[in-house]
Amino acid sequence: MIKKYLFAIAVLLLLCLPVAVFAEGGSETEQTGIAAISALHRAWKDSAGNIVYPEDYAGAYLDENQQAVVCIVNLSAAREDELKALVPNARIKFKTAKYSYQELKRIQEEIGQDKNAPLTVPDALGIGLDERNNVIEITVNIADEAAARPYYGEKYGDRITVTTTGATVYLPQTGSASALLPAAVLLLFGAGCAALAGKRNA
């Protein structure tokens, strides 16, 4: 088993040679997926290096084809052209949305600080921003579903969706033991590519 993963690491390191070449002089290559979203985020950085999201930005995600999708409130053709001009080498699909990222983040924080929520199992409360569906996803213990749905629905309307869990404590999902080794391989792959790119630029 160990030999199998060592072989996989060796193959990945060989595959990253083209990445090193790209790092040296391939800036004109079209960016897709996460790289495209990152390029747009970099275009929004201020002088201090902080990302300042436009008021109409509603989030971003990768679709089933790993294509970058950026959501904009009240998207228009003119606004889409303006955003594309910021990152001409990034292949991004744009989609209209109802609520801005800033508004949903504010609601997410508000829900987390709400001490009046009718929850008998408060530790099971999970709050996440679903950028694909432009909502805050609230997870509560199944025993609190009947009270939580009308409570949050009345306060936030279609800005939220409520799901349930049988857990008594909300735990963010973590990688299983079987996923750790492939993750380590990917980390080594990235480190190897960075090292090779650094040597070529030296």
Side-chain angles (χ1 to χ4, degrees):
M1 182 66 72
I2 298 298
K3 289 183 178 179
K4 177 181 177 182
Y5 283 109
L6 289 175
F7 176 74
I9 292 171
V11 171
L12 288 172
L13 288 175
L14 288 173
L15 288 173
C16 80
L17 285 172
V19 176
V21 173
F22 169 77
E24 182 178 11
S27 60
E28 295 304 314
T29 301
E30 185 179 58
Q31 295 172 306
T32 59
I34 292 175
I37 295 173
S38 297
L40 188 59
H41 286 178
R42 285 195 301 273
W44 288 333
K45 283 188 177 180
D46 61 16
S47 57
N50 302 310
I51 299 175
V52 180
Y53 294 114
E55 291 184 4
D56 61 353
Y57 175 72
Y61 62 92
L62 300 182
D63 67 12
E64 60 278 2
N65 298 315
Q66 301 303 298
Q67 170 75 40
V69 180
V70 172
C71 306
I72 301 293
V73 175
N74 298 323
L75 179 66
S76 65
R79 180 58 170 149
E80 185 171 333
D81 290 341
E82 182 182 339
L83 292 169
K84 286 180 177 178
L86 290 176
V87 282
N89 294 325
R91 187 154 64 94
I92 296 175
K93 293 192 296 186
F94 290 90
K95 170 183 168 183
T96 192
K98 191 172 182 180
Y99 303 113
S100 73
Y101 179 84
Q102 293 177 7
E103 179 179 1
L104 293 181
K105 287 297 288 184
R106 176 187 60 77
I107 291 173
Q108 183 178 13
E109 293 173 4
E110 185 177 301
I111 292 170
Q113 297 168 3
D114 186 358
K115 304 301 181 183
N116 299 315
L119 303 178
T120 58
V121 194
D123 290 340
L125 179 66
I127 315 154
L129 201 168
D130 182 348
E131 297 182 32
R132 177 187 293 267
N133 294 306
N134 197 221
V135 295
I136 297 297
E137 185 175 285
I138 302 171
T139 302
V140 298
N141 183 277
I142 195 167
D144 292 325
E145 179 182 11
R149 285 191 184 279
Y151 177 80
Y152 290 116
E154 184 177 344
K155 292 187 73 170
Y156 303 113
D158 63 355
R159 294 171 178 81
I160 62 96
T161 182
V162 177
T163 61
T164 59
T165 176
T168 55
V169 177
Y170 179 80
L171 294 175
Q173 289 190 2
T174 57
S176 63
S178 62
L180 292 178
L181 196 49
V185 169
L186 290 175
L187 286 173
L188 286 171
F189 170 62
C193 290
L196 286 172
K199 287 180 179 179
R200 293 185 68 88
N201 290 329

